[in-house]
Amino acid sequence: MILSTTPTIEGHTIKEYKGVVTGETIIGANFVKDFFAGIRDIVGGRSGAYERVLREAKDTSMKEMEDRAREMGANAIVGIDIDYETIGQGNSMLMVATSGTAVVI
């Protein structure tokens, strides 16, 4: 499966548009507690623990979107957008949402 943030894939013609696909991941309240517990691993203004959690949430969301595209018969997703939002009471949860257009190339 080819994944791209661009609307086209160089060297390939889009033969069929299958539709919009999405993936969502929500990390609950323990994420915030884990984040503060991991704050001590901050080096140079960056938190490796926080970045790992964000990367895992993004990867899960992308995988979910890819699975949905595959179920539709697509072999690529173009125009991918990745959004990060805090939600819930007191912004205690993090949501990563991905979306794109499933296509056949």
Side-chain angles (χ1 to χ4, degrees), residues 45-103:
R46 295 176 64 172
S47 169
Y50 189 44
E51 290 173 356
R52 278 189 297 279
V53 170
L54 285 174
R55 190 171 24 256
E56 180 180 336
K58 188 249 325 158
D59 291 346
T60 301
S61 183
M62 292 284 287
K63 175 77 169 91
E64 184 177 297
M65 181 179 62
E66 185 178 338
D67 290 345
R68 289 178 177 159
R70 190 171 282 111
E71 288 172 6
M72 298 169 76
N75 62 358
I77 304 172
V78 296
I80 293 174
D81 181 54
I82 304 170
D83 291 312
Y84 298 87
E85 297 288 334
T86 54
I87 61 173
Q89 186 175 10
N91 292 327
S92 62
M93 294 185 279
L94 174 71
M95 178 179 72
V96 180
T98 56
S99 63
T101 303
V103 299

Side-chain angles (χ1 to χ4, degrees), residues 3-73:
L3 307 173
S4 177
T5 58
T6 60
T8 60
I9 299 171
E10 189 173 338
H12 297 278
T13 301
I14 294 175
K15 298 174 185 171
E16 184 179 357
Y17 290 85
K18 293 293 192 173
V20 173
V21 286
T22 61
E24 302 81 19
T25 301
I26 297 175
I27 300 170
N30 287 339
F31 163 75
V32 175
K33 184 175 69 175
D34 293 345
F35 165 69
F36 286 113
I39 204 91
R40 64 182 159 266
D41 87 5
I42 291 179
V43 177
R46 295 176 64 172
S47 169
Y50 189 44
E51 290 173 356
R52 278 189 297 279
V53 170
L54 285 174
R55 190 171 24 256
E56 180 180 336
K58 188 249 325 158
D59 291 346
T60 301
S61 183
M62 292 284 287
K63 175 77 169 91
E64 184 177 297
M65 181 179 62
E66 185 178 338
D67 290 345
R68 289 178 177 159
R70 190 171 282 111
E71 288 172 6
M72 298 169 76

